[in-house]
Amino acid sequence: MRLKLDIDPDLVAMMQAEIKAGEKAVTGAMREAGAGLKTAWRGQITGAGLGRRLANSIRNATYPKAGESLNATALVWSKAPVIVGAHNAGPLIRSRDGFWLAIPTEAAGKSLRGGRITPGEWERRTGIRLRFVYRRRGPSLLVAEGRLNTKGRAVASRSKTGRGRTTVPIFLLVPQVRLAKRLDLARDAERAADAVPGRIVGKWVERKAG
């Protein structure tokens, strides 16, 4: 008994076309998933009031960068992972040296280097010494003897009579603080991942129908 197997060239071409359609479908679906997740994360960040600049730190890329593949993948990440990760996790923050965390009040103003001003920088800028005030209830304070300017910032008093001089709370001192969890990035990532199979099938069928 002899068996003869012939491979129809049309069958080979059909399989190759099917693989090509699959590669395009998978790659297209991953590109859409990555772009959609980037948009969703950026929307969460701006919606939480964290600003457009932080939202724009979210980037995405699809691999391979050129061509199509059945193993195409999408990567979405942040160029500011520490900040975004903190708002996503809501961690408990303690002082590095085990003492106090200094939380600036409105009267402290802002740092010239960006972010929150520190007690040391505040003293150097204003030339005013801070004084520690312990409170049994509520946070302790670092206060300054001065006056408030028109912007509500504490500055040195120039009055020789002491007119307008007051004790101004500059920093609140707390042993620890829990950062509020303002983001849920995993929620959008899971939604994007769950939608991938449907995207692939839809694009595959669409290409076959076309």
Side-chain angles (χ1 to χ4, degrees), residues 64-112:
K65 291 186 176 181
E68 291 86 20
S69 171
L70 290 173
N71 296 317
T73 58
L75 176 64
V76 183
W77 75 96
S78 171
K79 296 186 70 175
V82 175
I83 299 175
V84 172
H87 288 293
N88 185 56
L92 184 66
I93 301 175
R94 295 185 175 91
S95 171
R96 293 180 180 179
D97 55 18
F99 291 100
W100 302 97
L101 287 172
I103 311 299
T105 65
E106 289 294 326
K110 297 181 179 180
S111 172
L112 295 177

Side-chain angles (χ1 to χ4, degrees), residues 39-49 182-188:
T39 300
W41 280 6
R42 286 185 172 185
Q44 270 205 58
I45 292 172
T46 54
R182 304 171 73 176
L183 303 173
D184 188 356
L185 303 183
R187 178 195 64 201
D188 288 338

Side-chain angles (χ1 to χ4, degrees), residues 70-151:
L70 290 173
N71 296 317
T73 58
L75 176 64
V76 183
W77 75 96
S78 171
K79 296 186 70 175
V82 175
I83 299 175
V84 172
H87 288 293
N88 185 56
L92 184 66
I93 301 175
R94 295 185 175 91
S95 171
R96 293 180 180 179
D97 55 18
F99 291 100
W100 302 97
L101 287 172
I103 311 299
T105 65
E106 289 294 326
K110 297 181 179 180
S111 172
L112 295 177
R113 297 172 293 181
R116 291 181 174 178
I117 191 170
T118 64
E121 181 185 354
W122 192 89
E123 287 186 331
R124 289 192 297 271
R125 281 176 51 186
T126 62
I128 306 174
R129 293 296 300 243
L130 292 167
R131 177 167 58 87
F132 175 74
V133 175
Y134 173 76
R135 296 199 300 176
R136 181 174 297 179
R137 295 184 178 181
S140 295
L141 305 171
L142 287 178
V143 303
E145 303 301 325
R147 64 181 179 84
L148 294 176
N149 63 15
T150 56
K151 295 182 179 180

Side-chain angles (χ1 to χ4, degrees), residues 158-197:
R158 298 177 181 176
S159 173
K160 294 181 179 180
T161 63
R163 182 181 179 182
R165 178 177 292 183
T166 185
T167 300
V168 183
I170 307 300
F171 292 91
L172 306 179
L173 300 178
V174 295
Q176 62 186 32
V177 62
R178 182 173 293 280
L179 188 65
K181 178 178 171 60
R182 304 171 73 176
L183 303 173
D184 188 356
L185 303 183
R187 178 195 64 201
D188 288 338
E190 290 172 0
R191 289 176 178 172
D194 291 343
V196 166

